[in-house]
Amino acid sequence: MNKRTRAGLRLVGVLAMGLAAPLALAAASASQPWMNPKFSPDKRADLLVSKMTQAEKLHMIRSYFGSPGGPKGFPMPKGALGSAGYVPAIPRLGIPALQESDAGMGVANPHGARPGDGATSLPSGLATAATWTPQIAYKGGKMIGHEAWSKGFNILLAGGIDLVRDPRNGRNFEYAGEDPLLAGEMVGSFIKGIQSQHVISTIKHYAVNDQETARTTVSAVISKKAMRESDLLAFEIAIAKGDPGSVMCSYNKVNGDWACENKYLLTDVLKDDWKYPGFVMSDWGGTHSSAKAVNAGLDQESAGEQFDDKEWFDKPLKQDLADGKVSEKRLDDMVHRILRSMFAVGLFEHPPTKQPVNRAADKRVAQHTLEAGAVLLRNEHDTLPLASSTASVAVIGAHADKGVLAGGGSSVVVPWGGNAVPGLKPTEWPGPIMYQRSAPMAAIASIVGKSKVHFAEGDDIAKAVALAKRSKVAVVFAQKWAGESFDWVNLKLDDNQDQLIEAVAKANPNTIVVLETNGPVDMPWLDQVGAVLEAWYPGSGGGPAIANILFGKVNPSGRLPVTWPRSLDQLPRKDLPGAGGHGTPDKSVDYNIEGADVGYRWFIAKDKQPLFSFGYGLSYTQFSHGTPKVAAHGHQVKVTVPVQNTGKRAGADVVQVYVKAPGADAPHLAGFDKVSLKAGASQGVTVSLHPKLLAEFDTASDDWRIAGGDYQVYVGSDAEHLGQPVNVHLAAGKLAP
Ligand code: GLC
């Protein structure tokens, strides 16, 4: 064959291959028009549903527990990966399987269902919220979304946003604090990050699941107005910003009706008022009926074969369809919503591709999140930052020579190499007590030199004191484990940690405490120590992040996303009956006590002085705020405030804008921005106020209204320390949608 012929044949081959793809697409589009990415997600879902049998539709509206074991000890379903949930593919229609993984800190590995598999853990959701930087939340979501996708998952059950109404709630570490605007903005960005990786994010737990005690039976009692202006407002802001493919309804009841069959929540608010286009999945064991749940707005039963008292979306639903209690139209709508989310997030065009992840890069994302989210609570006489020339450092307690603590339950991430401190009880649910492999001691040693750093575990106080005595500086790590399915009985540190800290502080005037907690804890020794850093549950980059802050390589800029009470007496509910398994849980919890005045709004309205306020956090430099200028155009209000770094080193400040409406009992956060400034630099920071935070929810007209009148606008360094108010007059009226 001569060269020309070969070349000609090559050209034909190339042309044929070049045409193959469009031809294949054309063929697919012809026989499977829903595969055409040029159509809208809704159109594609309509086209696909129209070709499905009833059996295929019923296949889509329930998931299976995707790991071996579970409450009934079933084997892992064929095709599952070893995770929380799984819906088999429908090859005939080109529908990929749904592989669902937990959750908010990273890709969980439930009870080692994927032996040897590890993942990167972000720090607590509270730590991400404490950065007050949506872009950081986005990057964190993108990182765990990519790890999920690289492990074969296309749904992450991540996007926890229940408000912190009680600092004892065992799952606060999975959430974003007490304020609906901060939580909404941060979790909305987090969701965007996850879904940028073609993994559906699941905002949860909808709704008012604000305690773990009796979580599957307790009824949250709260007025519609208060609920819309607090817990639901957080969801509304996050859904508007992040467009999550799914919502997970919660275990609890709301005003007497299970959340997963609560028409007001699932249809009236979520689907009708907010026009939510995605699908509602139940929590694992949260489905309690078929027709009632489906007609209230539940679209998918999660793992009912193991977790529900009946497989409601199997035979009972088929019977309800046959009896006309559920319409075929509603069944189509359920399937449409699931498929629409799959098309919208790109699950058809971008199926997960199993591949190794860049562990070092992902760990840096976790580290940078904590560096920006750790909160410096106390720093007397500039105890911090420490000099890297410090002659000797005692590192004490909380297994700081091995790792950092993580929260327990379904969200726990298993590090590569396994638990840094295995065997701590409880080893079974809601355990294991997991320590991420990021030892603060090694990170400190890398700064000051290995020979200068020595460790003592906190359980031998005498030994710890002796080490502190002979060290220039003593850093005590104190931890308090929390986890899903139980609440703390109180805020006290356990295992004699208070005594340890007091003894070390007596032995060394340069004592620093680093907290690894679910949130606020009692600190009876606070005035005896030089500095306190809240490091939350620090995540896979916790060690270096903590060390970099202690030694000033990073200037702390975290601000509290929760109020830090002086005592439980200050809370709307001093007692939490049944917490930690002590006492009998109440059948309901009355959130109308505080209503929408969650956290700092409660403290201000009741004139209570917290230990540390929402929005509080120290820096190694200082900032000043000039007189704010307020510009209102209709209900769009912008506030510009001069900010100056008056200290000696670069740092970041969070400009917080609070608004007090006429007649309101407390101001609340209406906008914020974080600004980085070099020493001496100043900048005009403009913050747009979220209109919904200027309005109130009017249940009579079922919409948001501006009352009208003079609104007081404050710029604060935290909720308690507000500058002089600037008045702005707003006209009364319905808020533009
Ligand atoms: C749980 C949790 C939920 C989790 C689900 C799957 O019990 O409440 O957050 O995503 O089960 O593990």
Side-chain angles (χ1 to χ4, degrees), residues 356-700:
V357 297
N358 184 334
R359 298 184 191 184
D362 291 354
K363 183 178 165 183
R364 279 194 297 276
V365 171
Q367 176 183 328
H368 294 161
T369 302
L370 185 65
E371 286 176 345
V375 180
L376 184 59
L377 298 173
R378 177 183 173 86
N379 189 24
E380 292 300 289
H381 317 303
D382 292 336
T383 303
L384 294 176
L386 299 172
S388 48
S389 59
T390 301
S392 53
V393 180
V395 172
I396 296 166
H399 304 287
D401 60 332
K402 295 189 179 66
V404 287
L405 183 61
S410 59
S411 70
V412 74
V413 175
V414 180
W416 285 280
N419 193 340
V421 187
L424 297 174
K425 297 198 180 334
T427 49
E428 289 306 313
W429 178 269
I433 296 184
M434 187 70 64
Y435 273 77
Q436 298 298 337
R437 291 174 174 267
S438 182
M441 180 175 171
I444 292 170
S446 70
I447 294 174
V448 300
K450 201 166 169 11
S451 63
K452 297 181 182 173
V453 185
H454 296 87
F455 180 73
E457 196 46 86
D459 52 359
D460 183 337
I461 293 181
K463 211 168 161 190
V465 165
L467 175 60
K469 268 203 178 97
R470 61 175 186 270
S471 302
K472 187 84 181 105
V473 165
V475 184
V476 184
F477 288 79
Q479 54 76 22
K480 186 172 173 77
W481 188 64
E484 179 178 343
S485 79
F486 73 98
D487 297 320
W488 284 348
V489 178
N490 54 46
L491 303 184
K492 294 187 184 335
L493 292 177
D494 308 312
D495 308 327
N496 295 324
Q497 292 181 97
D498 286 335
Q499 292 79 343
L500 168 69
I501 294 167
E502 284 161 1
V504 168
K506 276 200 185 73
N508 189 315
N510 298 313
T511 292
I512 296 122
V513 175
V514 177
L515 297 172
E516 298 178 13
T517 65
N518 180 39
V521 291
D522 293 339
M523 299 187 281
W525 34 262
L526 183 60
D527 294 341
Q528 302 157 41
V529 301
V532 179
L533 181 72
E534 170 62 84
W536 314 104
Y537 292 142
S540 299
I546 291 166
N548 285 344
I549 290 173
L550 294 180
F551 286 87
K553 295 182 180 311
V554 166
N555 186 354
S557 61
R559 298 288 188 274
L560 288 178
V562 290
T563 298
W564 201 294
R566 290 180 185 280
S567 76
L568 295 175
D569 298 337
Q570 295 186 308
L571 301 180
R573 283 159 299 280
K574 172 177 178 294
D575 299 317
L576 183 44
H582 302 275
T584 310
D586 290 337
K587 288 191 173 15
S588 65
V589 54
D590 181 6
Y591 290 134
N592 283 320
I593 293 172
E594 72 275 31
D597 284 342
V598 182
Y600 66 90
R601 292 170 54 174
W602 165 261
F603 278 75
I604 294 171
K606 300 297 178 187
D607 197 19
K608 294 174 183 285
Q609 191 86 30
L611 187 57
F612 297 110
S613 289
F614 173 83
Y616 172 86
L618 298 177
S619 167
Y620 294 151
T621 185
Q622 295 75 40
F623 296 94
S624 70
H625 296 157
T627 308
K629 286 191 176 39
V630 182
H633 299 284
H635 294 151
Q636 300 301 322
V637 181
K638 287 183 192 290
V639 181
T640 301
V641 56
V643 181
Q644 183 174 17
N645 177 342
T646 56
K648 297 188 179 58
R649 58 169 293 165
D653 184 34
V654 178
V655 174
Q656 303 163 35
V657 182
Y658 295 81
V659 173
K660 191 168 184 295
D665 48 18
H668 51 247
L669 187 73
F672 62 89
D673 195 10
K674 194 171 200 175
V675 60
S676 295
L677 291 172
K678 291 188 176 7
S682 57
Q683 179 180 326
V685 176
T686 297
V687 175
S688 296
L689 304 191
H690 195 294
K692 290 239 163 67
L693 276 304
L694 303 172
E696 57 179 345
F697 189 76
D698 176 43
T699 39

Side-chain angles (χ1 to χ4, degrees), residues 214-218 249-254 256-262 266 281-294 296 298 300-302 304 307-313 316 320:
R215 65 175 178 163
T216 61
T217 55
V218 72
C249 50
S250 55
Y251 285 127
N252 55 292
K253 295 176 180 175
V254 178
D257 244 347
W258 299 109
C260 291
E261 55 186 46
N262 192 304
L266 303 183
M281 65 166 79
S282 72
D283 202 338
W284 273 234
T287 304
H288 299 277
S289 63
S290 52
K292 182 179 182 193
V294 165
L298 182 62
Q300 191 179 66
E301 177 183 17
S302 302
F307 288 79
D308 290 330
D309 50 12
K310 271 188 194 173
E311 294 177 69
W312 291 101
F313 284 20
D320 287 335

Side-chain angles (χ1 to χ4, degrees), residues 62-131:
R62 54 179 305 202
S63 66
Y64 298 89
F65 188 55
S67 293
K72 295 180 182 171
F74 290 177
M76 183 159 88
K78 189 173 174 315
L81 298 176
S83 73
Y86 168 62
V87 178
I90 303 181
R92 178 181 87 82
L93 298 167
I95 300 175
L98 289 178
Q99 302 283 8
E100 305 178 351
S101 168
D102 280 311
M105 263 59 71
V107 183
N109 186 357
H111 307 293
R114 301 189 307 281
D117 189 20
T120 305
S121 176
L122 286 169
S124 305
L126 287 174
T128 297
T131 69

